[in-house]
């Protein structure tokens, strides 16, 4: 089991009401959102560091990355996951 620390977080009433429509586990939902945001920020910092060391990404590199992440669209319009 993961180590946890209890803290109190204050959210607007409207947000809590909407969260309760989505889940019975508001704390778990918020924890997942925080983890996702932290990963996003760390990835952004890694990408900036890579560009500082190696220069900006080429259009071909960006296109390949998008294809791997979102799947490639074939000539017939079909989508395949990479």
């Amino acid at each position: 089991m993961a180590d946890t620390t209890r803290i109190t977080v204050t959210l607007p009433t409207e947000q809590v009401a909407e969260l309760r429509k989505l889940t019975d586990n508001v704390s778990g939902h918020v924890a997942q959102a925080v983890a996702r945001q932290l990963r996003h920020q760390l990835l952004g910092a890694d990408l900036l560091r890579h560009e500082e060391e190696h220069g900006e990404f080429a259009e071909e590199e960006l296109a390949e990355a998008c294809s791997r992440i979102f799947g490639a669209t074939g000539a017939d319009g079909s989508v395949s996951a990479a």
Side-chain angles (χ1 to χ4, degrees):
M1 183 173 198
D3 291 337
T4 60
T5 300
R6 287 187 170 272
I7 63 167
T8 301
V9 175
T10 304
L11 296 171
T13 303
E14 299 81 19
Q15 288 181 354
V16 174
E18 291 301 316
L19 279 171
R20 286 191 173 137
K21 290 178 187 177
L22 299 173
T23 182
D24 292 333
N25 184 359
V26 172
S27 293
H29 195 82
V30 170
Q32 288 177 348
V34 169
R36 187 171 43 252
Q37 181 64 28
L38 291 171
R39 284 191 306 272
H40 178 77
Q41 288 176 317
L42 291 170
L43 177 58
D46 283 347
L47 291 172
L48 285 175
R49 189 170 26 259
H50 179 86
E51 284 190 327
E52 288 171 356
E53 293 175 11
H54 304 283
E56 290 187 16
F57 290 98
E59 288 298 321
E60 297 82 20
E61 291 172 312
L62 294 174
E64 181 181 347
C66 286
S67 175
R68 288 182 178 204
I69 293 168
F70 302 112
T73 303
D76 61 355
S78 63
V79 176
S80 63

